[in-house]
Amino acid sequence: MTTSTPSATATDRLEALGFTLPPVGDGAKYVEHRSLGSSVYVSGQLPFKDGVLQGQGTVGRDVELEAARDLARHAVVNCLAIAAEAVGGLDRVRIVQMLVFVASTPDFGKQSRVADAASDLLIEVLGENGRHARTAIGVAGLPLNSPVEIQMVCTTAQARAIPSFSDRQSKE
């Protein structure tokens, strides 16, 4: 991961990595996200770029590890686009949990390495707001024969809390 300047916006940091947020479309049978209280549940996203699925196949057989990691980055950028729309901008997104599904052979065993690419991107773009709980799961197949699908839960990032006077006193 590269180090970004603290004054850059999340969008600037994303663009420095070579990505831009895609437009968010409407699912015919489901919504892209659902909010419940302060939580935003983002529907599973595939690695589409400009409306084209960036890869197909099974990781460990048809798709190499590095290609799968790149596909995970594309899928998580699509998740970020939906999250940003839901909370009012990319700088307001805080990731709570990410679920990474990897269509892989039974003996692949490196699903977490695929997921690491998406986790790294989130942290690089969002800083501490990108840190999250995570699950990486190997599955037999995914929609459209995609090698990767990512689902996430996020919330609106809060401004950094300033300790109260009593909190400061108790630490002295």
Side-chain angles (χ1 to χ4, degrees):
M1 289 192 313
T2 61
T3 305
S4 57
T5 59
S7 60
T9 67
T11 300
D12 294 337
R13 291 186 294 271
L14 184 66
E15 289 174 355
L17 295 172
F19 293 96
T20 56
L21 292 181
V24 175
D26 268 339
K29 306 238 182 226
Y30 62 92
V31 295
E32 295 290 346
H33 74 275
R34 174 73 68 195
S35 297
L36 180 63
S38 64
S39 296
V40 177
Y41 297 82
V42 177
S43 296
Q45 298 299 305
L46 302 179
F48 279 101
K49 182 179 180 185
D50 299 325
V52 177
L53 187 61
Q54 296 299 293
Q56 290 184 306
T58 302
V59 182
R61 182 179 64 219
D62 313 311
V63 179
E64 297 294 325
L65 174 62
E66 285 308 312
R69 288 172 53 84
D70 188 53
L71 294 169
R73 289 181 195 98
H74 281 284
V76 83
V77 166
N78 293 337
C79 287
L80 282 176
I82 294 164
E85 182 178 274
V87 302
L90 190 56
D91 284 307
R92 295 173 48 94
V93 174
R94 180 173 186 195
I95 309 303
V96 175
Q97 182 183 33
M98 180 171 66
L99 304 169
V100 180
F101 301 93
V102 182
S104 53
T105 60
D107 63 340
F108 176 64
K110 296 182 183 175
Q111 291 83 2
S112 63
R113 294 276 319 278
V114 174
D116 286 345
S119 292
D120 290 345
L121 187 143
L122 290 174
I123 293 165
E124 187 149 358
V125 171
L126 301 174
E128 280 302 310
N129 287 330
R131 293 195 184 279
H132 53 275
R134 185 185 85 189
T135 302
I137 304 168
V139 297
L142 291 168
L144 303 177
N145 197 28
S146 175
V148 179
E149 181 174 8
I150 297 180
Q151 175 186 342
M152 67 173 42
V153 179
C154 63
T155 190
T156 303
Q158 301 298 315
R160 190 171 161 210
I162 299 171
S164 69
F165 179 74
S166 60
D167 288 341
R168 289 190 304 254
Q169 290 238 325
S170 66
K171 291 182 181 178
E172 293 177 0

